[in-house]
Amino acid sequence: MDIINLVFVFVLAIFLGVELINKVPSTLHTPLMSGSNAISGITLVGALALVQIGDENQMASILGAVAVGFATINVIGGYMVTDRMLAMFKKKEGGDGK
Amino acid sequence: MSTEIIDLVYIAAAILFIVGLKFLGSPATARKGNVISSIGMAIAVIATLFSKGLNFELIIGGFVIGGLIGAVVARKVEMTSMPEMVALFNGFGGLASLFVGWSALKWTASPEVFFLVTVFLSILIGGLTFTGSLLAYGKLSERISGRPFVYAGQRIVNSGILLAVVICAVLFIQNPADQNWLYLAVGLSLLLGIMFVLPIGGADMPVVISLLNSFSGIAAAAAGFAIGNILLIVAGSLVGASGIILTSIMCKAMNRSLSNVLFSGFGTVSSSSGPVIEQGEVKPMSAEDAYYVLEAASSVVVVPGYGMAVAQAQHVVKELQELLEHNGAEVVYAIHPVAGRMPGHMNVLLAEADVPYDLLLEMDQINPRMETFDVAIIIGANDVVNPAAREVESSPIYGMPVINADQAQTVFVLKRSMASGFAGIDNPLFFKENTRMLFGDAKETLGNLVKAFD
C-alpha cells in the first residue's frame, strides 16, 4: 500500500486517540491502561498472517507463531483482567455498575 | 474470504475499538466499552483466519498456549498486584511486535528501504518495551529493589547504546542480506530497555508504566507499517496516544518534566542538606484515643497511598467507612493522581472493597474544602500529602500539587515507622500541631479502630 496513505492514517489515528483519551476521568486510568493494552495486542492479527504453510520458509512461520502466542497472552489476559476490574466499579445507592 | 471482505471487517473492528475507548471514558459505560473493544478484536482475528495458506497447527498452538497463560494470570492476579501485571502484559505485547517484524523480514525476498526501516523500528521498540516492562515488573513486585539505580556517566552510556543501535540500523539497511547487524540491534534494544528503566525509582513507576504502555502501541503500529496492515496502525496509534496522554498527566501531577523523571534518578540524593524548618515534636496517638476523635467527627476524608496497597488495608478501610457513616459522619476519599504505583491504582483497590466510585474525589475537588473536614486519615501516603511542596522552596518536590491534608482540623497519619517516604523526602506534616501519628501496620491500626466502634 502507498506509504503516504499509511502515514496519513497513522497521524489521524493519533489525533483521534488524544481526543478520546483526554476525557477519561482519573478513576478509570487503570482499566483504561489495561484495556488499551489489550488493544495493542492487535499485533496478533499481523502475526496470524505470517504463519503460513510450506517448508521453504519454516523459520518465518515459527517466528510468526511465537508472536501469535505472546500477542494472545496480551489480548486474552488484557481483556479479562480489565473486565474483572470494571465489574467492581459501583455507584452508591446499590447501583449495579450500569 | 477475499482480501476486500477482510479489509471491510478490519474497518468494522477499528470502529469498535474507537467506540469501546469512548465508552471507557465513563464509569457507567466502561465495562460495556471493554466488551465492545473485545468484539472488535474477535472479528478481526476471525476474519484474518480466513486468509489463504495459513498453517493452522502452529496458529492453534500459539492460541492455546498464549490463551491459557493469559486467562490463568488474569483470573488469579490480586488487585494489589495490578501494576506489575499490566507491566508484564505490556512487555508481551512488545515482544510480539518484535517477532512480527522479524518474521516479516524473513518472508520478504527483496525488501525496500521503507520496509526495512519499519521492521527495524518494530524490533527496536518492541524489544525495549519487553525488557523495560520486565524490569518494571521486577521493581513493582519487589523481586528486585525499587530504588533508582544511578551511576556516573549513565546518560553517556545510554546515548552510546542508542547511537550503536542507529549505526546498526544504517548498516543493516544498506546490506539486508547480512543479518548479523539485525541480531546485534535486537540485543542492543533489549539492553536499552533495561538501561532505561534502571535509574527510575518506585515512586515514579506510574510514569514509566504509562510510557511503556504507549511504546507497546507504537511498536504495534510500526509492525503494521512493516506488513502494510492498516488495522495494526490504527489500533497501535490509538494505544500510543493514550499512553502518551497518561504519561503527561502523571508528569504534571508531579510537577516534573518527562526527561527529569526518566534521567534524574529522583530520590537518590538525600534532601537533608536543605534547611529543615519545623522538625517539632511527633505526637503519637493510640487507636482508642483516635476512636474518640472519630466518634465526634461529622466529616472525614481518607487519603490513601501505596502503603494501603502494601498492607492490603482497603477492605478494613471500607468497614471503617460504614461505621463512620452509621455514626452520622460524611466520609469521602481524596485520590492523588500519582498515589500508588500506576495511574488509578487506588481507585481499583477501593472499587475491589466495594467503595462506590462517586465517593472518590480528585485533588482539585477536595482541596478547596479541606478545612471543612474534622478529620483527615492518611493511610500509607507520604509525598502526595507533603506540605513541603507548598511551603519549603528547597524541597525536591516544591511546586508539586499535593492534597492539602494538613488543612483539615485533625490529621491522623497511619504509618509503619518514622522512616521517610519512597522518595526519601522529609515530611513536615508529621510535625504539625494538628497531626497525630498512629504507628503500626495500617491494616492492624484500622482493625483496632473498627473494633473500638463495636
Side-chain angles (χ1 to χ4, degrees):
Chain A
M1 191 166 310
D2 194 358
I3 293 168
I4 290 298
N5 282 344
L6 294 180
V7 176
F8 193 67
V9 170
F10 175 68
V11 173
L12 286 185
I14 287 198
F15 274 94
L16 176 61
V18 170
E19 284 304 310
L20 279 174
I21 309 298
N22 248 337
K23 298 183 189 111
V24 177
S26 63
T27 190
L28 286 170
H29 278 168
T30 297
L32 168 72
M33 194 167 250
S34 74
S36 68
N37 188 231
I39 295 180
S40 78
I42 190 66
T43 324
L44 175 58
V45 167
L48 287 174
L50 296 167
V51 188
Q52 302 194 356
I53 314 171
D55 293 331
E56 77 279 8
N57 205 345
Q58 238 183 346
M59 179 65 183
S61 286
I62 290 172
L63 288 173
V66 174
V68 169
F70 282 112
T72 308
I73 298 182
N74 201 352
V75 169
I76 301 282
Y79 280 119
M80 278 179 63
V81 91
T82 309
D83 187 67
R84 225 183 102 193
M85 261 189 272
L86 289 172
M88 301 182 314
F89 277 80
K90 290 186 192 81
K91 227 181 143 114
K92 217 180 169 179
E93 256 66 270
D96 56 356
K98 282 278 145 65
Chain B
M1 209 186 276
S2 71
T3 53
E4 282 79 17
I5 297 178
I6 295 180
D7 282 342
L8 283 177
V9 176
Y10 283 177
I11 295 177
I15 293 171
L16 290 172
F17 287 149
I18 293 165
V19 174
L21 278 174
K22 194 172 162 51
F23 276 31
L24 265 177
S26 144
T29 56
R31 197 175 182 193
K32 211 192 292 171
N34 188 52
V35 172
I36 292 173
S37 147
S38 69
I39 294 171
M41 183 66 73
I43 64 168
V45 168
I46 292 167
T48 312
L49 290 175
F50 282 98
S51 314
K52 289 190 188 72
L54 295 187
N55 180 336
F56 280 97
E57 283 167 31
L58 283 175
I59 287 177
I60 291 171
F63 273 160
V64 171
I65 295 173
L68 275 179
I69 297 176
V72 169
V73 175
R75 271 179 180 282
K76 289 264 154 90
V77 64
E78 296 274 345
M79 283 302 143
T80 38
S81 321
M82 207 44 84
E84 52 259 42
M85 150 98 218
V86 170
L88 202 59
F89 280 164
N90 250 330
F92 290 147
L95 194 58
S97 297
L98 183 152
F99 279 109
V100 166
W102 193 354
S103 169
L105 184 71
K106 291 266 177 203
W107 278 116
T108 313
S110 51
E112 292 169 25
V113 172
F114 179 77
F115 170 79
L116 289 172
V117 171
T118 54
V119 162
F120 201 89
L121 280 177
S122 69
I123 288 177
L124 171 67
I125 304 171
L128 76 88
T129 306
F130 174 58
T131 48
S133 300
L134 277 193
L135 189 60
Y137 167 78
K139 286 192 174 199
L140 287 164
S141 59
E142 285 173 355
R143 273 163 230 272
I144 50 176
S145 162
R147 290 262 159 212
F149 181 83
V150 191
Y151 55 88
Q154 191 158 28
R155 276 194 218 196
I156 299 170
V157 171
N158 288 358
S159 316
I161 299 173
L162 194 61
L163 186 69
V165 171
V166 174
I167 294 171
C168 281
V170 172
L171 291 170
F172 164 69
I173 289 164
Q174 280 176 348
N175 182 14
D178 183 4
Q179 300 206 334
N180 285 333
W181 293 118
L182 182 72
Y183 297 140
L184 185 59
V186 170
L188 286 174
S189 68
L190 296 176
L191 181 66
L192 194 61
I194 293 174
M195 292 312 217
F196 142 75
V197 179
L198 263 186
I200 302 170
D204 288 343
M205 277 300 159
V207 178
V208 180
I209 298 199
S210 311
L211 196 62
L212 289 168
N213 185 249
S214 172
F215 281 175
S216 76
I218 292 172
F225 275 109
I227 59 176
N229 186 319
I230 285 205
L231 185 58
L232 261 70
I233 298 179
V234 171
S237 36
L238 287 176
V239 178
S242 110
I244 288 170
I245 290 177
L246 286 177
T247 309
S248 97
I249 293 175
M250 295 303 116
C251 286
K252 266 187 210 142
M254 297 197 287
N255 190 36
R256 290 161 60 199
S257 69
L258 181 58
S259 75
N260 179 283
V261 174
L262 296 183
F263 304 121
S264 73
F266 199 66
T268 44
V269 220
S270 165
S271 60
S272 55
S273 52
V276 182
I277 298 185
E278 41 188 327
Q279 297 288 55
E281 207 182 331
V282 169
K283 293 172 280 300
M285 194 185 223
S286 69
E288 292 91 87
D289 292 339
Y291 158 73
Y292 291 114
V293 180
L294 282 177
E295 210 224 347
S298 64
S299 57
V300 176
V301 55
V302 178
V303 188
Y306 183 55
M308 185 183 80
V310 174
Q312 301 260 14
Q314 66 271 30
H315 296 285
V316 59
V317 170
K318 158 82 175 170
E319 264 184 75
L320 182 64
Q321 174 209 324
E322 280 175 344
L323 288 168
L324 287 168
E325 281 173 343
H326 194 70
N327 195 32
E330 180 206 6
V331 182
V332 294
Y333 295 79
I335 315 287
H336 192 279
V338 294
R341 287 292 177 268
M342 74 181 296
H345 192 182
M346 294 300 121
N347 306 75
V348 171
L349 290 183
L350 291 169
E352 188 199 7
D354 270 335
V355 175
Y357 60 77
D358 34 0
L359 293 186
L360 274 49
L361 303 182
E362 293 181 26
M363 179 164 55
D364 300 339
Q365 294 171 285
I366 200 86
N367 273 346
R369 51 180 289 223
M370 189 52 89
E371 285 156 36
T372 66
F373 284 97
D374 293 328
V375 182
I377 308 178
I378 296 165
I379 306 172
N382 189 344
D383 299 331
V384 297
V385 290
N386 192 340
R390 292 196 317 268
E391 297 162 354
V392 185
E393 261 180 71
S394 63
S395 171
I397 60 166
Y398 181 73
M400 166 174 161
V402 290
I403 294 175
N404 301 333
D406 53 306
Q407 290 173 356
Q409 299 307 312
T410 307
V411 184
F412 289 165
V413 178
L414 275 62
K415 206 170 173 339
R416 256 178 298 191
S417 67
M418 269 312 287
S420 47
F422 215 94
I425 298 160
D426 291 326
N427 193 339
L429 173 66
F430 305 151
F431 308 100
K432 294 240 173 190
E433 205 43 52
N434 57 339
T435 303
R436 297 291 176 274
M437 306 296 291
L438 279 73
F439 288 116
D441 176 72
K443 196 173 170 181
E444 228 177 273
T445 309
L446 288 164
N448 289 338
L449 282 173
V450 167
K451 260 184 244 148
F453 268 94
D454 288 340

